[in-house]
Amino acid sequence: MNLNAKLTLYFTLSKLAIIAVFLLLLPYIFDWISLTSINNYLRQQENKVFATIEQNGMEPYLQDQASFGSYTMLKEEYISMEPVGPEVADIDQIADGLRLIEADTLNYRILSRTFSYDGQRYLLEIGRTTATIQQYNIAIRRIALYVLIGLVSVTIILDFFFSRIILKPLGQIIKTRLVGQRFPFKGHMQPIRTSTRDFRLLDESFIELMERVRQDFDREKEFTANASHELLTPISILKSKIENLMLSEGLDESVAAKLLEMMHTLSRLNSIVKSMLLIARIDNAQFHRGEAVRIDRIISGIREELAPQLETKNITFTNRITRLEAIPNLNKELMFHLFSNLIRNAIRYNKQGGHIDVYDSIGPDGYWIHIRDTGEGFPPSKQEEIFERFNRIHHHGGEGFGLGLSIVRSIAHFFSITIRVESSLGEGSVFSVGFRSD
């Protein structure tokens, strides 16, 4: 899950939590609002009554009667005024209560207050039914909930797009600096345009780090190429001198044996230097990538070249490549090196009388060529190590995975080819070479 999705999920969950808390508090909030509103309304009605009494006296209410009572048509509100004696204490309160009006007992919010006029004490009651208030509350709660859900939905959408805008520079940094880059890095890297200081600092740090890595890698490649090239000349000179010595007349057998041993050592050193030089040339992108190559012919050519080694170990070799069309944007020489090294390893670590099977398959992720052998295999934990330079994981003293698979990895990286390995001790290995479907 990317950062934008996580932020959106966080915003959504936090707002859902707010809605949940609001729903829990909503009844109490609206009850408080309703009571406060009714109380204010009752106080306003009280002020109107006393304003009328102050201006016109009690006649508008009593009209030569001892008490006064009035209510609306639907009995939602009522007002009463009646004389009380000195035994009734002074009252000025608002509380809930039941009142009987025309044989109906209704629940009201009642303002009660005693007052005196012309030496007579009166009890004033102004009431408003709570049933209507509850109906209003339910409607208001529903409207408030809908409005809240709508606002939260709008804010979630806005948060999603806003976070995308804010995090766009970070996505560009990841795409251009990490996902979109192939090592070794080439060309000058342009800074990402952003007004966020943290992203700008991150991008500058990536550019500086990648530039340092590129410079160090270039120096390493240059040293490897130069060293390998310079070593070939003295090796050739030594080989020529040793060959001349071996052709000398009257050469002692022990000396000849030592010279022959030296020739083997020089041949091995020459092979290593050439392999290092090949890796350096591949890493320096000195090969053309525009050739269309038929892999079936490459495999057949390797089979013919390695026939003596196959016969020596009595290994059967089957070439079951079904695709006869050429694969574009490759290099014939490098493809030969790649499959040659894989098949040489399959021969070297195979058992006497073993088998090597080369076949292909087509999957959703591209075209694959598989090289299966019946050799000794190696532990799955060593599958990454086998591609390291000069790494040997087999128990053979002088042989092992040295530069061959390192060359395979360099070629695969050069062409964006995928290499997969399946192996276990005593059960052989399968090396799979995957070409992308363009």
Side-chain angles (χ1 to χ4, degrees):
M1 184 181 295
N2 58 31
L3 183 58
N4 187 37
K6 287 186 176 182
L7 286 176
T8 303
L9 179 62
Y10 168 76
F11 293 148
T12 303
L13 293 178
S14 62
K15 287 174 174 58
L16 290 177
I18 293 174
I19 292 177
V21 173
F22 181 78
L23 289 177
L24 292 175
L25 298 178
L26 191 61
Y28 304 100
I29 294 174
F30 274 97
D31 286 344
W32 178 81
I33 293 174
S34 299
L35 289 177
T36 302
S37 177
I38 294 173
N39 292 344
N40 292 334
Y41 176 79
L42 294 176
R43 289 297 180 186
Q44 291 174 2
Q45 295 300 105
E46 176 192 22
N47 293 333
K48 290 180 181 179
V49 170
F50 283 115
T52 302
I53 293 174
E54 183 179 357
Q55 183 177 359
N56 302 314
M58 298 292 290
E59 288 302 321
Y61 295 105
L62 297 181
Q63 296 179 356
D64 298 328
Q65 296 181 5
S67 62
F68 169 78
S70 176
Y71 52 85
T72 60
M73 183 178 298
L74 298 178
K75 306 175 186 178
E76 293 180 352
E77 298 179 12
Y78 83 91
I79 180 172
S80 68
M81 193 181 301
E82 60 181 9
V84 293
E87 71 279 1
V88 177
D90 291 338
I91 301 173
D92 187 2
Q93 67 178 17
I94 299 176
D96 293 333
L98 297 175
R99 291 296 182 268
L100 180 63
I101 298 178
E102 291 186 348
D104 288 334
T105 301
L106 301 175
N107 193 4
Y108 287 91
R109 185 73 175 169
I110 304 170
L111 180 149
S112 302
R113 180 176 176 180
T114 58
F115 68 97
S116 298
Y117 185 81
D118 287 342
Q120 176 64 49
R121 298 179 71 240
Y122 294 92
L123 174 62
L124 172 66
E125 284 190 354
I126 303 174
R128 189 171 185 182
T129 181
T130 58
T132 304
I133 298 169
Q134 293 299 326
Q135 292 176 359
Y136 290 156
N137 281 351
I138 294 174
I140 294 173
R141 291 175 188 176
R142 186 178 295 111
I143 293 173
L145 179 60
Y146 292 157
V147 171
L148 178 64
I149 293 175
L151 291 176
V152 169
S153 300
V154 171
T155 56
I156 289 175
I157 295 173
L158 292 177
D159 288 341
F160 173 74
F161 287 103
F162 182 71
S163 62
R164 287 191 64 180
I165 295 173
I166 292 296
L167 296 176
K168 184 178 179 180
L170 180 60
Q172 291 177 335
I173 291 173
I174 294 174
K175 182 179 180 180
T176 58
R177 306 293 182 246
L178 300 177
V179 179
Q181 284 289 342
R182 285 187 56 195
F183 189 81
F185 315 121
K186 296 180 179 180
H188 180 68
M189 299 180 186
Q190 296 295 330
I192 299 297
R193 296 181 60 185
T194 176
S195 59
T196 305
R197 184 178 60 182
D198 295 337
F199 291 159
R200 187 165 57 248
L201 178 61
L202 178 63
D203 185 46
E204 291 173 354
S205 300
F206 265 120
I207 292 177
E208 181 180 0
L209 177 61
M210 295 168 74
E211 186 64 28
R212 289 181 180 178
V213 171
R214 179 173 61 183
Q215 291 175 359
D216 292 341
F217 186 70
D218 288 341
R219 283 194 292 267
E220 179 188 354
K221 289 191 300 182
E222 184 179 359
F223 171 79
T224 302
N226 292 338
S228 300
H229 182 73
E230 294 298 327
L231 283 172
L232 287 176
T233 301
I235 290 174
S236 299
I237 294 173
L238 286 174
K239 286 184 66 176
S240 298
K241 290 183 177 182
I242 293 174
E243 288 174 354
N244 290 333
L245 288 174
M246 293 180 67
L247 294 176
S248 301
E249 296 182 1
L251 186 65
D252 187 79
E253 291 185 3
S254 59
V255 175
K258 291 181 180 180
L259 290 175
L260 184 60
E261 183 179 347
M262 292 172 63
M263 282 291 294
H264 287 312
T265 303
L266 283 176
S267 296
R268 182 174 176 81
L269 180 59
N270 187 60
S271 178
I272 292 174
V273 171
K274 286 184 177 180
S275 297
M276 293 294 294
L277 184 59
L278 175 62
I279 293 174
R281 290 180 61 198
I282 296 171
D283 292 339
N284 280 314
Q286 295 179 5
F287 286 90
H288 180 57
R289 279 185 280 204
E291 292 185 69
V293 179
R294 284 187 56 176
I295 303 299
D296 61 309
R297 292 180 177 177
I298 294 289
I299 300 299
S300 298
I302 295 172
R303 165 68 178 83
E304 295 177 3
E305 181 180 296
L306 300 180
Q309 289 92 318
L310 293 170
E311 294 175 1
T312 300
K313 298 188 71 171
N314 194 26
I315 295 174
T316 57
F317 185 99
T318 56
N319 180 2
R320 296 191 290 125
I321 301 295
T322 59
R323 175 170 176 166
L324 304 182
E325 298 84 6
I327 300 177
N329 301 320
L330 296 177
N331 181 283
K332 185 176 181 180
E333 179 184 353
L334 292 184
M335 287 299 100
F336 188 91
H337 279 294
L338 186 148
F339 287 103
S340 176
N341 279 288
L342 291 177
I343 295 175
R344 285 177 186 276
N345 281 331
I347 296 174
R348 179 182 298 129
Y349 300 108
N350 215 323
K351 62 184 179 180
Q352 191 73 24
H355 183 73
I356 297 176
D357 186 19
V358 181
Y359 57 99
D360 58 356
S361 65
I362 298 177
D365 51 352
Y367 174 67
W368 291 84
I369 295 178
H370 312 276
I371 301 173
R372 181 189 300 274
D373 64 65
T374 55
E376 58 192 73
F378 50 87
S381 59
K382 300 293 185 179
Q383 290 183 6
E384 292 298 325
E385 299 180 18
I386 62 176
F387 292 98
E388 298 297 329
R389 296 180 188 179
F390 304 108
N391 185 31
R392 295 180 179 136
I393 63 172
H394 286 76
H395 60 269
H396 301 295
E399 299 291 345
F401 290 102
L403 290 174
L405 290 181
S406 181
I407 293 174
V408 169
R409 182 177 62 178
S410 294
I411 296 174
H413 185 270
F414 183 68
F415 291 106
S416 298
I417 294 172
T418 304
I419 302 292
R420 295 178 183 172
V421 186
E422 297 178 12
S423 183
S424 57
L425 283 175
E427 297 183 6
S429 306
V430 180
F431 284 80
S432 300
V433 181
F435 299 87
R436 294 181 301 178
S437 298
D438 296 326

